[in-house]
Amino acid sequence: MARPTTSQGYYADQVARGQSVVTDLPKFDLDTHISNYEGRGKLERLLYIGQHSTLLGPDALRQGITLSKLGLDIPRYLSLVSTLAAVSPSDPFATPDQAWIDGTTATVTRESERKEAELSGYKNNLIKESIRMGYEDLARHCIASGDLTTAYKCSQRMRDHCISPQNILDAHMLQIRIALYRADFIGAQSLVQKCRHLPAPPEMLALYINRLHAALGLAQLQSSNILDAAISFLAVDPSIGNSFSTHLTPTDIAAYATLCSLASLSRVDLQRRVLNSSTFRALLDLDPPLRRAITAFVAGTYSTALTILNSYRTDWALDPYLAPLLPALFAEIRKKSLALYFEPFRKVLLREVARAFETEEKVMVKEVVRLIDAGVLKARVDLEAGVVVRVDDNGRASREGLVTEVLQGAEGFEREAKARLLRFAILGAGLEVRGKGGRRDGDGEGVGGGSGIAGLLAGTGGSRSKAR
């Protein structure tokens, strides 16, 4: 047996730790893909690709190491180098550049001391605008050097010295961005809600609203609030451009909105909120296959929609925000597709379902059984006949319930027919008894006499006693 390479061993360990590993080549070109992002977000994506892609991993790590040496983020640089050392120990980039580390450490220390001294001078002068700018400069420097904890504290203090609505909005946006970097998604949601209710002019808030929607959607997605995330992403319009490229591009937003919407919205809402939306439709047109997937889902051609989504799965599996949630999102979309497929039918052949979803019949049986066990689908599987039969709320098959109802109606008709024949026989024998001053109506009821069958039988008994 051939001995596995070091890179294979690293990715095998990733799988053993429960991490996803992508062995297929994605559709995107690495250089083109990464060029869409800016700042810390670019390095985070390169590191994630390096940790999870067997084909692009080494190239992504080398590119990340080269980019990180252009900045001041020593912790991120060391993470990239250590990962490459685990993937490919013999790579020249896998050895830390100690001279660069020492020089950058000195630069970061010197710059931090300078900015802190400037801030101290601003505080002595008691000029709020200068203090605000001092905290902002220090926060951005801390982001660049990888000290997110200090950056977050500076952004909080920056808000205390804002003197205009725009300053307050800028401070909130900086704090939201740092919260997303720190994976503090609950805090990011809270900050977005505060920012949206600030007493700022509408025209000023409009300049920030797209980034706020995108940040809120991302935080909700990472908190597994899929429906809320879908609504937030659908509120973004194409004017967002690259203003949020430290985290997401417009194409990312279109992809996130598509998956969240398919997993959480009804077909009516998909048509109304997505396909008929004049704002989001333009953003969705940046990636036409996604629009076709939603159109196919709304039209009921679920296999087409699932095929299109599966063609993107390798690309999405290398997205640090989307990859951890991808299995759950795909499972929810497929579960929803199956439930909607069965909705108009009382009985469906398993082979037809398997053909519609382009899978084997044995696999489809297991999927249907899981849906039934989860309470998503109210049905029974008849393996002998190879059919799935829907059942009503009482647990009976719908067709069986219909047959029972028809039989009960037939029994009632038979009882009524026998009663009428008995009445005709009584009338023919002259055994009818009328009450005093009574009259007959169309059903043989008499005033003072019995009504219906009971009245007829009572009248018959009275006649016989008189005859005796």
Side-chain angles (χ1 to χ4, degrees), residues 419-442:
R420 290 184 179 273
L421 289 173
L422 176 60
R423 171 168 170 70
F424 293 151
I426 291 172
L427 291 175
L431 300 177
E432 180 185 20
V433 177
R434 301 181 186 178
K436 294 181 180 181
R439 59 178 178 80
R440 290 184 307 179
D441 59 13

PDB file of all heavy atoms in Angstrom, residues 419-442:
ATOM      1  N   ALA A 419     -87.043   1.703   5.258  1.00  0.00           N
ATOM      2  CA  ALA A 419     -88.111   2.370   5.996  1.00  0.00           C
ATOM      3  C   ALA A 419     -89.213   2.842   5.058  1.00  0.00           C
ATOM      4  O   ALA A 419     -90.413   2.736   5.366  1.00  0.00           O
ATOM      5  CB  ALA A 419     -87.536   3.550   6.774  1.00  0.00           C
ATOM      6  N   ARG A 420     -88.839   3.354   3.896  1.00  0.00           N
ATOM      7  CA  ARG A 420     -89.849   3.829   2.947  1.00  0.00           C
ATOM      8  C   ARG A 420     -90.650   2.661   2.371  1.00  0.00           C
ATOM      9  O   ARG A 420     -91.868   2.753   2.164  1.00  0.00           O
ATOM     10  CB  ARG A 420     -89.192   4.623   1.822  1.00  0.00           C
ATOM     11  CG  ARG A 420     -88.647   5.979   2.303  1.00  0.00           C
ATOM     12  CD  ARG A 420     -88.095   6.804   1.161  1.00  0.00           C
ATOM     13  NE  ARG A 420     -87.620   8.089   1.652  1.00  0.00           N
ATOM     14  CZ  ARG A 420     -88.379   9.171   1.799  1.00  0.00           C
ATOM     15  NH1 ARG A 420     -89.688   9.087   1.528  1.00  0.00           N
ATOM     16  NH2 ARG A 420     -87.878  10.301   2.246  1.00  0.00           N
ATOM     17  N   LEU A 421     -89.975   1.547   2.099  1.00  0.00           N
ATOM     18  CA  LEU A 421     -90.687   0.363   1.602  1.00  0.00           C
ATOM     19  C   LEU A 421     -91.677  -0.156   2.646  1.00  0.00           C
ATOM     20  O   LEU A 421     -92.793  -0.589   2.303  1.00  0.00           O
ATOM     21  CB  LEU A 421     -89.685  -0.734   1.245  1.00  0.00           C
ATOM     22  CG  LEU A 421     -88.836  -0.474  -0.013  1.00  0.00           C
ATOM     23  CD1 LEU A 421     -87.771  -1.558  -0.158  1.00  0.00           C
ATOM     24  CD2 LEU A 421     -89.734  -0.445  -1.260  1.00  0.00           C
ATOM     25  N   LEU A 422     -91.272  -0.114   3.921  1.00  0.00           N
ATOM     26  CA  LEU A 422     -92.178  -0.530   4.986  1.00  0.00           C
ATOM     27  C   LEU A 422     -93.408   0.367   5.026  1.00  0.00           C
ATOM     28  O   LEU A 422     -94.544  -0.102   5.196  1.00  0.00           O
ATOM     29  CB  LEU A 422     -91.437  -0.491   6.326  1.00  0.00           C
ATOM     30  CG  LEU A 422     -92.273  -0.805   7.570  1.00  0.00           C
ATOM     31  CD1 LEU A 422     -92.877  -2.216   7.489  1.00  0.00           C
ATOM     32  CD2 LEU A 422     -91.419  -0.678   8.829  1.00  0.00           C
ATOM     33  N   ARG A 423     -93.201   1.659   4.859  1.00  0.00           N
ATOM     34  CA  ARG A 423     -94.327   2.599   4.872  1.00  0.00           C
ATOM     35  C   ARG A 423     -95.283   2.325   3.710  1.00  0.00           C
ATOM     36  O   ARG A 423     -96.510   2.327   3.878  1.00  0.00           O
ATOM     37  CB  ARG A 423     -93.814   4.033   4.811  1.00  0.00           C
ATOM     38  CG  ARG A 423     -94.945   5.034   4.603  1.00  0.00           C
ATOM     39  CD  ARG A 423     -94.523   6.441   4.811  1.00  0.00           C
ATOM     40  NE  ARG A 423     -95.543   7.349   4.392  1.00  0.00           N
ATOM     41  CZ  ARG A 423     -96.717   7.545   4.983  1.00  0.00           C
ATOM     42  NH1 ARG A 423     -97.024   6.824   6.056  1.00  0.00           N
ATOM     43  NH2 ARG A 423     -97.594   8.413   4.529  1.00  0.00           N
ATOM     44  N   PHE A 424     -94.684   2.093   2.523  1.00  0.00           N
ATOM     45  CA  PHE A 424     -95.535   1.791   1.364  1.00  0.00           C
ATOM     46  C   PHE A 424     -96.359   0.528   1.611  1.00  0.00           C
ATOM     47  O   PHE A 424     -97.546   0.449   1.230  1.00  0.00           O
ATOM     48  CB  PHE A 424     -94.684   1.611   0.105  1.00  0.00           C
ATOM     49  CG  PHE A 424     -94.003   2.889  -0.332  1.00  0.00           C
ATOM     50  CD1 PHE A 424     -92.802   2.862  -1.003  1.00  0.00           C
ATOM     51  CD2 PHE A 424     -94.588   4.133  -0.064  1.00  0.00           C
ATOM     52  CE1 PHE A 424     -92.186   4.023  -1.402  1.00  0.00           C
ATOM     53  CE2 PHE A 424     -93.963   5.294  -0.457  1.00  0.00           C
ATOM     54  CZ  PHE A 424     -92.762   5.246  -1.128  1.00  0.00           C
ATOM     55  N   ALA A 425     -95.758  -0.485   2.265  1.00  0.00           N
ATOM     56  CA  ALA A 425     -96.486  -1.729   2.553  1.00  0.00           C
ATOM     57  C   ALA A 425     -97.630  -1.474   3.531  1.00  0.00           C
ATOM     58  O   ALA A 425     -98.725  -2.032   3.404  1.00  0.00           O
ATOM     59  CB  ALA A 425     -95.521  -2.763   3.126  1.00  0.00           C
ATOM     60  N   ILE A 426     -97.388  -0.612   4.529  1.00  0.00           N
ATOM     61  CA  ILE A 426     -98.424  -0.283   5.508  1.00  0.00           C
ATOM     62  C   ILE A 426     -99.580   0.443   4.830  1.00  0.00           C
ATOM     63  O   ILE A 426    -100.757   0.151   5.078  1.00  0.00           O
ATOM     64  CB  ILE A 426     -97.823   0.564   6.639  1.00  0.00           C
ATOM     65  CG1 ILE A 426     -96.867  -0.289   7.476  1.00  0.00           C
ATOM     66  CG2 ILE A 426     -98.910   1.163   7.518  1.00  0.00           C
ATOM     67  CD1 ILE A 426     -96.082   0.507   8.502  1.00  0.00           C
ATOM     68  N   LEU A 427     -99.251   1.399   3.979  1.00  0.00           N
ATOM     69  CA  LEU A 427    -100.304   2.119   3.273  1.00  0.00           C
ATOM     70  C   LEU A 427    -101.099   1.200   2.368  1.00  0.00           C
ATOM     71  O   LEU A 427    -102.335   1.285   2.267  1.00  0.00           O
ATOM     72  CB  LEU A 427     -99.675   3.262   2.453  1.00  0.00           C
ATOM     73  CG  LEU A 427     -99.079   4.440   3.246  1.00  0.00           C
ATOM     74  CD1 LEU A 427     -98.389   5.407   2.297  1.00  0.00           C
ATOM     75  CD2 LEU A 427    -100.169   5.148   4.024  1.00  0.00           C
ATOM     76  N   GLY A 428    -100.375   0.266   1.692  1.00  0.00           N
ATOM     77  CA  GLY A 428    -101.062  -0.655   0.794  1.00  0.00           C
ATOM     78  C   GLY A 428    -101.992  -1.607   1.540  1.00  0.00           C
ATOM     79  O   GLY A 428    -103.031  -2.025   1.007  1.00  0.00           O
ATOM     80  N   ALA A 429    -101.658  -1.948   2.802  1.00  0.00           N
ATOM     81  CA  ALA A 429    -102.490  -2.874   3.581  1.00  0.00           C
ATOM     82  C   ALA A 429    -103.603  -2.148   4.327  1.00  0.00           C
ATOM     83  O   ALA A 429    -104.407  -2.771   5.017  1.00  0.00           O
ATOM     84  CB  ALA A 429    -101.625  -3.647   4.571  1.00  0.00           C
ATOM     85  N   GLY A 430    -103.649  -0.815   4.218  1.00  0.00           N
ATOM     86  CA  GLY A 430    -104.674  -0.052   4.901  1.00  0.00           C
ATOM     87  C   GLY A 430    -104.506  -0.020   6.398  1.00  0.00           C
ATOM     88  O   GLY A 430    -105.510   0.077   7.125  1.00  0.00           O
ATOM     89  N   LEU A 431    -103.315  -0.116   6.870  1.00  0.00           N
ATOM     90  CA  LEU A 431    -103.064  -0.161   8.306  1.00  0.00           C
ATOM     91  C   LEU A 431    -102.638   1.181   8.876  1.00  0.00           C
ATOM     92  O   LEU A 431    -102.244   1.264  10.039  1.00  0.00           O
ATOM     93  CB  LEU A 431    -101.972  -1.202   8.620  1.00  0.00           C
ATOM     94  CG  LEU A 431    -102.293  -2.638   8.211  1.00  0.00           C
ATOM     95  CD1 LEU A 431    -101.114  -3.544   8.496  1.00  0.00           C
ATOM     96  CD2 LEU A 431    -103.537  -3.130   8.959  1.00  0.00           C
ATOM     97  N   GLU A 432    -102.704   2.212   8.098  1.00  0.00           N
ATOM     98  CA  GLU A 432    -102.271   3.524   8.572  1.00  0.00           C
ATOM     99  C   GLU A 432    -103.287   4.062   9.568  1.00  0.00           C
ATOM    100  O   GLU A 432    -104.503   3.912   9.402  1.00  0.00           O
ATOM    101  CB  GLU A 432    -102.140   4.489   7.399  1.00  0.00           C
ATOM    102  CG  GLU A 432    -101.683   5.875   7.821  1.00  0.00           C
ATOM    103  CD  GLU A 432    -101.682   6.835   6.658  1.00  0.00           C
ATOM    104  OE1 GLU A 432    -102.371   6.550   5.656  1.00  0.00           O
ATOM    105  OE2 GLU A 432    -101.013   7.875   6.756  1.00  0.00           O
ATOM    106  N   VAL A 433    -102.850   4.679  10.637  1.00  0.00           N
ATOM    107  CA  VAL A 433    -103.698   5.275  11.652  1.00  0.00           C
ATOM    108  C   VAL A 433    -103.413   6.763  11.699  1.00  0.00           C
ATOM    109  O   VAL A 433    -102.266   7.178  11.802  1.00  0.00           O
ATOM    110  CB  VAL A 433    -103.436   4.665  13.060  1.00  0.00           C
ATOM    111  CG1 VAL A 433    -104.299   5.364  14.098  1.00  0.00           C
ATOM    112  CG2 VAL A 433    -103.719   3.173  13.039  1.00  0.00           C
ATOM    113  N   ARG A 434    -104.474   7.567  11.620  1.00  0.00           N
ATOM    114  CA  ARG A 434    -104.331   9.013  11.689  1.00  0.00           C
ATOM    115  C   ARG A 434    -104.794   9.499  13.055  1.00  0.00           C
ATOM    116  O   ARG A 434    -105.711   8.950  13.633  1.00  0.00           O
ATOM    117  CB  ARG A 434    -105.176   9.687  10.632  1.00  0.00           C
ATOM    118  CG  ARG A 434    -104.825   9.273   9.212  1.00  0.00           C
ATOM    119  CD  ARG A 434    -105.701  10.025   8.238  1.00  0.00           C
ATOM    120  NE  ARG A 434    -105.491   9.565   6.876  1.00  0.00           N
ATOM    121  CZ  ARG A 434    -106.159  10.036   5.832  1.00  0.00           C
ATOM    122  NH1 ARG A 434    -107.079  10.981   6.025  1.00  0.00           N
ATOM    123  NH2 ARG A 434    -105.915   9.573   4.630  1.00  0.00           N
ATOM    124  N   GLY A 435    -104.159  10.558  13.552  1.00  0.00           N
ATOM    125  CA  GLY A 435    -104.595  11.161  14.800  1.00  0.00           C
ATOM    126  C   GLY A 435    -105.905  11.906  14.591  1.00  0.00           C
ATOM    127  O   GLY A 435    -106.283  12.241  13.465  1.00  0.00           O
ATOM    128  N   LYS A 436    -106.605  12.158  15.673  1.00  0.00           N
ATOM    129  CA  LYS A 436    -107.863  12.876  15.556  1.00  0.00           C
ATOM    130  C   LYS A 436    -107.619  14.274  15.013  1.00  0.00           C
ATOM    131  O   LYS A 436    -106.841  15.032  15.580  1.00  0.00           O
ATOM    132  CB  LYS A 436    -108.536  12.979  16.930  1.00  0.00           C
ATOM    133  CG  LYS A 436    -108.960  11.622  17.475  1.00  0.00           C
ATOM    134  CD  LYS A 436    -109.647  11.790  18.813  1.00  0.00           C
ATOM    135  CE  LYS A 436    -110.079  10.447  19.374  1.00  0.00           C
ATOM    136  NZ  LYS A 436    -110.767  10.584  20.667  1.00  0.00           N
ATOM    137  N   GLY A 437    -108.322  14.561  13.961  1.00  0.00           N
ATOM    138  CA  GLY A 437    -108.167  15.876  13.338  1.00  0.00           C
ATOM    139  C   GLY A 437    -106.797  16.041  12.725  1.00  0.00           C
ATOM    140  O   GLY A 437    -106.403  17.149  12.384  1.00  0.00           O
ATOM    141  N   GLY A 438    -106.091  14.965  12.667  1.00  0.00           N
ATOM    142  CA  GLY A 438    -104.719  15.059  12.148  1.00  0.00           C
ATOM    143  C   GLY A 438    -104.698  15.098  10.644  1.00  0.00           C
ATOM    144  O   GLY A 438    -105.687  14.863   9.964  1.00  0.00           O
ATOM    145  N   ARG A 439    -103.489  15.377  10.145  1.00  0.00           N
ATOM    146  CA  ARG A 439    -103.286  15.413   8.702  1.00  0.00           C
ATOM    147  C   ARG A 439    -101.922  14.820   8.413  1.00  0.00           C
ATOM    148  O   ARG A 439    -101.052  14.801   9.261  1.00  0.00           O
ATOM    149  CB  ARG A 439    -103.360  16.842   8.170  1.00  0.00           C
ATOM    150  CG  ARG A 439    -102.325  17.756   8.797  1.00  0.00           C
ATOM    151  CD  ARG A 439    -102.403  19.145   8.191  1.00  0.00           C
ATOM    152  NE  ARG A 439    -101.445  20.034   8.807  1.00  0.00           N
ATOM    153  CZ  ARG A 439    -100.158  20.072   8.505  1.00  0.00           C
ATOM    154  NH1 ARG A 439     -99.682  19.235   7.593  1.00  0.00           N
ATOM    155  NH2 ARG A 439     -99.340  20.916   9.109  1.00  0.00           N
ATOM    156  N   ARG A 440    -101.740  14.386   7.232  1.00  0.00           N
ATOM    157  CA  ARG A 440    -100.458  13.834   6.837  1.00  0.00           C
ATOM    158  C   ARG A 440     -99.681  14.877   6.043  1.00  0.00           C
ATOM    159  O   ARG A 440    -100.246  15.586   5.229  1.00  0.00           O
ATOM    160  CB  ARG A 440    -100.653  12.599   5.966  1.00  0.00           C
ATOM    161  CG  ARG A 440    -101.184  11.404   6.695  1.00  0.00           C
ATOM    162  CD  ARG A 440    -101.260  10.214   5.777  1.00  0.00           C
ATOM    163  NE  ARG A 440    -102.017  10.558   4.558  1.00  0.00           N
ATOM    164  CZ  ARG A 440    -102.217   9.700   3.563  1.00  0.00           C
ATOM    165  NH1 ARG A 440    -101.709   8.494   3.631  1.00  0.00           N
ATOM    166  NH2 ARG A 440    -102.909  10.057   2.504  1.00  0.00           N
ATOM    167  N   ASP A 441     -98.372  14.922   6.316  1.00  0.00           N
ATOM    168  CA  ASP A 441     -97.539  15.738   5.445  1.00  0.00           C
ATOM    169  C   ASP A 441     -96.800  14.813   4.496  1.00  0.00           C
ATOM    170  O   ASP A 441     -97.043  13.618   4.465  1.00  0.00           O
ATOM    171  CB  ASP A 441     -96.558  16.600   6.258  1.00  0.00           C
ATOM    172  CG  ASP A 441     -95.647  15.759   7.109  1.00  0.00           C
ATOM    173  OD1 ASP A 441     -95.598  14.529   6.883  1.00  0.00           O
ATOM    174  OD2 ASP A 441     -94.967  16.337   7.991  1.00  0.00           O
ATOM    175  N   GLY A 442     -95.910  15.349   3.796  1.00  0.00           N
ATOM    176  CA  GLY A 442     -95.235  14.551   2.785  1.00  0.00           C
ATOM    177  C   GLY A 442     -94.435  13.402   3.350  1.00  0.00           C
ATOM    178  O   GLY A 442     -94.155  12.445   2.656  1.00  0.00           O
TER     179      GLY A 442
END
